[in-house]
Amino acid sequence: MTGGSLGLRASGSYGLLQQQPLNGGLLPQNLYIPRRPSKSSLNGYKEKERQVHSVFRYLSQRKVGMLILASLALLAFTTGFFTINKACPVCYIPVEHAIASIPNFPSESPVLRHLTYFSEENPLRTEPNGGSDFGGYPSLKQREDSFDIKESMTVHCGFVKGCGPRDQTGYDIDADDLKELEQFHEVIVASAIFGNYDVIQQPRNIGEVARKNVPFFMFVDKETEAYMKNTSVLDGGKQVGLWRIIVVHNVPYKDARRNGKVPKLLLHRLFPNVRYSIWIDGKLRLVVDPYQILEKFLLRQNATFAISRHYSRFDVFEEAEANKAAGKYDNASIDYQIDYYKKEGLTSYTLDKLPITSDVPEGCVIIREHIPITNLFSCLWFNEVDRFTSRDQLSFATVRDKVKERVNWNINMFLDCERRNFVIQAYHRDLLEQRAHQQAMARNHPPPVLIHEKTPVKRNLVRPGRGNKKPSSRRRRKIIPRNKENFFI
């Protein structure tokens, strides 16, 4: 009996055979019935076999094999690199539609309605745990209470010596700048450069409405301001392109990067009358209209806080090891912070945490609505940065999870390739200056031109007694081929 007489289709699959009842018995659904190959097919098979054998014999040569392996390794590296670092398409609606989508009233803040902040004239350290005069040295008991979310709360949130960035508060701002910060704005864009660490980047593709209604604020310290004046970037005024320069005096930390965490995490304290804010690090250039970014990553997602996830790491413990390997902070402080979180219950990221997609953010962009619950999250996140290391990626998941345990509130963690769609990353100033110096050296001191001298031709002198016969350094040995196949004319 053949497959044809059974009414079954012959298949060449060697996979799992499904069983179906037929004529009272079980026969495979995909029945493989081998056929006797024809003579022509055998000849074709032998020909293919010879071709494959010759290819492998060719590849077995040392030089060719190494070249192919090197090419494959390079291809794998570059493919992985560009997959990680390139931008991916993002669907934005037209600017006028994005503006129209902004709701008339703020979003509802779950549980928390009223948030106020501690203020102390002379804060004292009561425990050997970290903190600062600017942050107020909250005790571990106060830290624990700050996660007990209620309708009305008072928490530590920087600026502990005053109500905001006023004189003698550890983050002093001039009166005319302070007046500008207190104005009502529906949307703002903010950034910072401290320690003259970055080069100011001018936004692009900003629509007319945003140019008129969305202010861009750049916070700088005295060192950065002095450099901008010396290089004529800042000539007397306070505007550099779209950026309004805000100079901060009496900065609270010796570490310039830690000083930059204040506007990054505490924009709601610097701008008490702002509805929405977009934070971008000083090394980034904004290339999409702010209204479109706000609509895509916040309003369309029905979220009040949005941040991109890390491009390759999802686990806090892996992020900590990467920070140690790169020398981002001293290892002992990182280990102390991670051990502390581990004792509190922090675990490695697994798929069991879904719908949470990552525990590690790429924190160079933050999009938020300034309502009590997001303001509280920003305060608590800053308190961890003030108490432990300044690496905010390490403390993000702990604060997020503690808040989520108490209230129904989510953070939109979008793809890092989507972030790269609306901001372009530039090099830090030190790298830019190093490259400029190398280019200048190359122009001023070009490499010497190598002159290839002709190799002198050695003339063969006629030896006595040999007449005009040309001498030969070595007699050529006559090679007799073994067979005709190796003989070439």
Side-chain angles (χ1 to χ4, degrees):
M1 184 177 291
T2 64
S5 62
L6 285 173
L8 298 176
R9 182 179 180 182
S11 172
S13 173
Y14 288 92
L16 181 63
L17 299 181
Q18 299 180 356
Q19 303 291 326
Q20 289 185 348
L22 184 63
N23 297 331
L26 292 176
L27 286 176
Q29 181 182 9
N30 296 326
L31 182 63
Y32 173 69
I33 302 177
R35 294 183 300 175
R36 186 174 182 179
S38 62
K39 185 176 181 180
S40 60
S41 63
L42 285 175
N43 293 334
Y45 174 77
K46 291 181 179 179
E47 179 65 24
K48 291 181 180 178
E49 186 179 22
R50 283 196 298 267
Q51 293 177 357
V52 172
H53 182 70
S54 63
V55 170
F56 275 97
R57 185 173 56 186
Y58 175 75
L59 293 180
S60 63
Q61 299 181 23
R62 185 175 181 181
K63 293 183 178 180
V64 176
M66 292 298 294
L67 179 62
I68 293 177
L69 288 176
S71 302
L72 291 175
L74 180 61
L75 177 63
F77 173 78
T78 54
T79 302
F81 177 81
F82 287 111
T83 301
I84 289 174
N85 291 281
K86 70 178 182 180
C88 54
V90 175
C91 179
Y92 303 102
I93 65 175
V95 174
E96 56 272 17
H97 295 167
I99 297 173
S101 68
I102 298 178
N104 295 325
F105 301 97
S107 301
E108 182 179 359
S109 177
V111 181
L112 181 61
R113 299 290 187 272
H114 307 285
L115 183 63
T116 54
Y117 314 107
F118 280 113
S119 177
E120 301 176 58
E121 185 71 23
N122 296 302
L124 298 175
R125 184 196 297 266
T126 59
E127 298 174 352
N129 291 104
S132 65
D133 283 347
F134 181 75
Y137 303 108
S139 65
L140 292 177
K141 177 64 168 56
Q142 290 174 321
R143 176 183 180 270
E144 183 179 352
D145 292 341
S146 66
F147 290 104
D148 185 15
I149 301 177
K150 305 174 183 177
E151 184 176 355
S152 297
M153 297 180 63
T154 301
V155 297
H156 285 84
C157 195
F159 302 102
V160 74
K161 293 184 179 181
C163 298
R166 302 181 186 276
D167 290 339
Q168 306 304 317
T169 61
Y171 218 78
D172 304 346
I173 294 177
D174 295 337
D176 55 342
D177 291 331
L178 185 62
K179 186 177 180 180
E180 180 65 25
L181 300 186
E182 293 176 345
Q183 298 296 316
F184 171 79
H185 298 289
E186 193 165 51
V187 183
I188 66 164
V189 177
S191 185
I193 299 176
F194 284 84
N196 195 29
Y197 198 61
D198 292 300
V199 178
I200 190 168
Q201 304 291 322
Q202 286 300 327
R204 296 176 182 172
N205 306 320
I206 309 301
E208 291 300 323
V209 177
R211 287 177 176 270
K212 181 179 179 181
N213 297 320
V214 178
F216 289 71
F217 294 97
M218 176 67 70
F219 292 88
V220 302
D221 56 2
K222 296 292 292 182
E223 179 183 353
T224 307
E225 180 196 27
Y227 179 86
M228 295 172 69
K229 288 182 176 180
N230 291 336
T231 55
S232 301
V233 175
L234 190 63
D235 291 328
K238 294 189 174 184
Q239 200 76 23
V240 178
L242 287 179
W243 295 103
R244 167 69 182 262
I245 306 301
I246 306 294
V247 181
V248 179
H249 310 274
N250 190 28
V251 291
Y253 305 107
K254 295 181 180 179
D255 183 5
R257 294 188 180 186
R258 192 182 286 272
N259 287 321
K261 305 297 181 182
V262 176
K264 175 179 180 178
L265 301 180
L266 302 183
L267 277 181
H268 63 285
R269 298 221 61 185
L270 292 164
F271 298 93
N273 299 308
V274 163
R275 288 193 64 188
Y276 301 97
S277 66
I278 299 175
W279 166 267
I280 63 173
D281 279 1
K283 62 186 176 183
L284 301 179
R285 182 194 302 276
L286 192 68
V287 293
V288 173
D289 190 273
Y291 287 112
Q292 293 176 304
I293 298 172
L294 179 65
E295 187 280 330
K296 169 63 177 72
F297 297 101
L298 215 60
L299 303 180
R300 196 185 307 180
Q301 309 300 326
N302 195 26
T304 57
F305 195 102
I307 190 170
S308 66
R309 68 188 78 163
H310 197 276
Y311 62 88
S312 64
R313 291 186 289 274
F314 307 90
D315 185 84
V316 177
F317 300 103
E318 293 180 3
E319 177 66 17
E321 292 303 317
N323 275 257
K324 290 161 59 177
K328 298 290 186 180
Y329 214 86
D330 68 274
N331 292 359
S333 298
I334 293 178
D335 290 337
Y336 175 78
Q337 181 177 5
I338 295 302
D339 290 341
Y340 194 94
Y341 291 159
K342 189 185 299 183
K343 292 176 182 177
E344 287 190 321
L346 178 66
T347 60
S348 297
Y349 180 81
T350 64
L351 295 179
D352 294 336
K353 291 191 176 184
L354 291 174
I356 294 175
T357 56
S358 175
D359 283 345
V360 182
E362 182 62 53
C364 55
V365 170
I366 302 176
I367 310 163
R368 60 197 138 188
E369 181 181 1
H370 293 202
I371 59 175
I373 191 65
T374 59
N375 295 343
L376 173 66
F377 174 81
S378 299
C379 289
L380 301 184
W381 191 9
F382 172 80
N383 290 343
E384 297 298 294
V385 172
D386 187 53
R387 176 183 293 274
F388 297 106
T389 71
S390 61
R391 306 305 299 170
D392 50 48
Q393 296 96 330
L394 302 181
S395 52
F396 170 83
T398 291
V399 179
R400 178 202 61 193
D401 293 348
K402 285 179 176 291
V403 172
K404 282 176 60 64
E405 288 176 0
R406 274 75 172 187
V407 297
N408 182 21
W409 180 70
N410 294 312
I411 291 177
N412 175 26
M413 295 191 72
F414 53 92
L415 295 174
D416 184 68
C417 66
E418 294 179 307
R419 173 189 67 83
R420 295 175 185 272
N421 180 278
F422 63 87
V423 288
I424 297 176
Q425 183 167 325
Y427 292 103
H428 291 302
R429 179 182 297 281
D430 54 350
L431 293 178
L432 291 174
E433 291 179 347
Q434 181 180 0
R435 294 179 67 182
H437 176 71
Q438 293 173 350
Q439 293 174 358
M441 290 292 293
R443 289 193 300 267
N444 297 332
H445 303 282
V449 179
L450 297 178
I451 302 176
H452 299 282
E453 297 181 355
K454 294 183 179 180
T455 304
V457 179
K458 185 177 180 180
R459 297 181 178 180
N460 296 322
L461 301 176
V462 179
R463 295 181 182 180
R466 294 196 177 187
N468 295 331
K469 186 177 180 181
K470 295 182 179 180
S472 176
S473 60
R474 181 182 298 177
R475 289 188 176 183
R476 295 185 178 180
R477 187 175 58 184
K478 185 177 181 181
I479 300 175
I480 302 176
R482 295 182 179 179
N483 49 53
K484 294 182 178 180
E485 293 180 357
N486 295 330
F487 183 73
F488 298 89
I489 297 178

